[in-house]
Amino acid sequence: MLPVEEAPKVVSTVDKATEAIRHRFQLVAQRISRCRQLQAIKFSTIESLLGSSRRQNDVVVVGMLTQQKSHCYHIEDLTGSMQVEFNDETKFQHSIFTEGSVAIFQGSYDASLLTVREVASVPLESAEETRAIFGNVNWFGGEDPIAFRCNAKLCVAERSNPNAQIVILSDVHLDNSRVMQAVYHMLSGFSGDPPLAFIFCGNFCSRSRQRETMELLHTGFRRLANQLNDFASSFTSTHFVFVPGPDDPCLNMVLPRPHLPGVLFKYFEQIPNCLFATNPVRIQYASQEIVVIRNDLVEKMCRHAVNTVAAENISKSFAKTILSQAHLSPLPPHVAPVLWEFDHVMTMHPLPDVLIVADKFKSFAEIQADTVVCNPGSFSSGSFGFHVYLPFERKIEDSAIDLPADR
């Protein structure tokens, strides 16, 4: 993790983009030297291969996959760039390999071309394994210099509340009367057993980027505030977090995104513990580190992958990929642009306890390297599905609101 020496800027120079991409590569590649499974493998650099005039039948290279022109792929490391060729016999490990992915490539090298036989992701490293090497420094954020998981008092506080729960919703269209009805039913259901927090993720309007969008948002948030006021006595200690979606009004269309427009905050002035958060946002509960991002990543990564992933394996492959890349948007800038000087905000090192990727893709929950990766799915899709996270058990529960059909 690199220290940020000065305040990052929205408009940056080319060298900042290069620095961010190099940092992404180094963050993943460094794990190889610590991985026992890979100690016996001899890795080659691209520079050493390009400097060789002889054919080599079995080489292993760590590189970032790029596409410099249509259907012409290269891999890059800190020493150079080399063309690679995939064919029908190329084997891909159970991950989603896209442009911008850092992976392990094995194959034969001849005349500046690597014919790839197998592609594997860099093995995951749990937060506990990372801290065993780098110590208990707090890289997650906040004022405490010690990582939350290593704070004995926070661990005791977490164990003392075994019934704690966090409710997560995505695509909460506040301009849809059925959605608002479902939200009211949900609030009513939890009023008897208030959760620690409700995390509402956008998009908050079904008709985004239109002339009437802001008016619909004003109306929707006013109605939501009225609903919350109806249960004010029940949720005095509950936090309400609002994370903007990719189509919600914003000054920019790239990640990380600022909070929703400030004019919407006025409806929640009388409601305690409301937070209009950025996207992504980091949340601490006791000793646990939770990262939330609202972005339609799953299908986008599948569309730009060089391999095909079976439908039944997509959620598991996605979870493994995003944790292996240790980045919340492991795609090239022309597909998923990021503010370069804020790219460090998108990194995950060490891995968090929980990664919530709020996506339109169907809901799922996976555990990889002791990290829970979940997607609550779209609340407005008709089933009104959402997730409930139980911190004590480190478990995700699928839930839904069963509304009677309109007559």
Side-chain angles (χ1 to χ4, degrees), residues 279-294:
N279 181 16
V281 60
R282 300 182 180 214
I283 299 171
Q284 175 205 351
Y285 165 64
S287 68
Q288 295 195 31
E289 299 173 351
I290 302 170
V291 175
V292 183
I293 182 169
R294 172 62 184 95

Side-chain angles (χ1 to χ4, degrees), residues 253-279:
M253 304 306 296
V254 299
L255 290 169
R257 292 168 63 92
H259 55 64
L260 289 162
V263 292
L264 301 174
F265 300 179
K266 61 183 179 181
Y267 302 114
F268 296 84
E269 290 175 351
Q270 304 304 316
I271 301 172
N273 304 321
C274 278
L275 172 65
F276 282 78
T278 57
N279 181 16

Side-chain angles (χ1 to χ4, degrees), residues 156-176:
V156 170
E158 183 181 318
R159 290 194 295 269
S160 67
N161 191 5
N163 298 319
Q165 49 189 348
I166 297 173
V167 181
I168 310 148
L169 306 84
S170 180
D171 266 351
V172 187
H173 294 163
L174 303 180
D175 60 323
N176 185 315

Side-chain angles (χ1 to χ4, degrees), residues 33 68 73 78 132 147 160 221 239 317 325 336-337 346-347 367 379 385 391:
S33 62
Q68 298 187 2
Y73 290 97
L78 299 181
S160 67
F221 274 101
H239 292 259
S317 296
Q325 299 303 312
M346 308 293 289
T347 59
I367 298 179
F379 186 78

Side-chain angles (χ1 to χ4, degrees), residues 79-274:
T79 68
S81 173
M82 175 174 61
Q83 187 176 347
V84 294
E85 182 180 75
F86 304 106
N87 53 43
D88 294 339
E89 296 180 358
T90 303
K91 296 179 181 178
F92 293 91
Q93 201 185 67
H94 299 299
S95 292
I96 304 173
F97 297 100
T98 66
E99 292 178 64
S101 293
V102 180
I104 301 171
F105 299 84
Q106 182 178 16
S108 58
Y109 171 79
D110 188 26
S112 301
L113 176 68
L114 178 67
T115 303
V116 182
R117 286 197 301 271
E118 188 169 356
V119 185
S121 58
V122 177
L124 303 183
E125 183 178 83
S126 69
E128 186 176 346
E129 292 171 326
T130 303
R131 291 195 177 100
I133 297 163
F134 291 100
N136 297 331
V137 177
N138 176 17
W139 286 334
F140 188 73
E143 297 179 357
D144 197 329
I146 304 299
F148 305 128
R149 188 182 288 188
C150 306
N151 187 312
K153 291 182 179 179
L154 291 177
C155 292
V156 170
E158 183 181 318
R159 290 194 295 269
S160 67
N161 191 5
N163 298 319
Q165 49 189 348
I166 297 173
V167 181
I168 310 148
L169 306 84
S170 180
D171 266 351
V172 187
H173 294 163
L174 303 180
D175 60 323
N176 185 315
S177 59
R178 290 279 291 172
V179 170
M180 294 302 294
Q181 188 180 353
V183 170
Y184 191 87
H185 274 67
M186 181 195 68
L187 294 172
S188 176
F190 280 104
S191 61
D193 185 17
L196 292 167
F198 288 98
I199 301 176
F200 292 88
C201 299
N203 299 315
F204 291 105
C205 184
S206 62
R207 286 174 278 181
S208 58
R209 303 178 191 175
Q210 297 183 25
R211 188 181 303 174
E212 68 271 20
T213 298
M214 278 305 297
E215 182 181 346
L216 292 171
L217 284 172
H218 273 283
T219 303
F221 274 101
R222 184 174 65 249
R223 289 175 178 170
L224 179 59
N226 290 337
Q227 290 188 0
L228 296 181
N229 278 320
D230 288 346
F231 301 99
S233 60
S234 300
F235 297 133
T236 53
S237 299
T238 298
H239 292 259
F240 298 93
V241 182
F242 298 93
V243 181
D247 294 328
D248 285 322
C250 183
L251 292 175
N252 62 61
M253 304 306 296
V254 299
L255 290 169
R257 292 168 63 92
H259 55 64
L260 289 162
V263 292
L264 301 174
F265 300 179
K266 61 183 179 181
Y267 302 114
F268 296 84
E269 290 175 351
Q270 304 304 316
I271 301 172
N273 304 321
C274 278

Side-chain angles (χ1 to χ4, degrees), residues 348-396:
M348 296 179 288
H349 183 77
L351 295 178
D353 296 281
V354 185
L355 171 59
I356 300 168
V357 182
D359 193 294
K360 288 182 179 179
F361 190 73
K362 65 180 181 180
S363 67
F364 62 81
E366 302 285 346
I367 298 179
Q368 300 268 358
D370 299 329
T371 294
V372 177
V373 182
C374 70
N375 168 34
S378 177
F379 186 78
S380 301
S381 63
S383 60
F384 306 115
F386 59 96
H387 275 172
V388 179
Y389 175 58
L390 308 176
F392 185 78
E393 301 178 45
R394 304 203 175 213
K395 174 184 172 184
I396 293 287

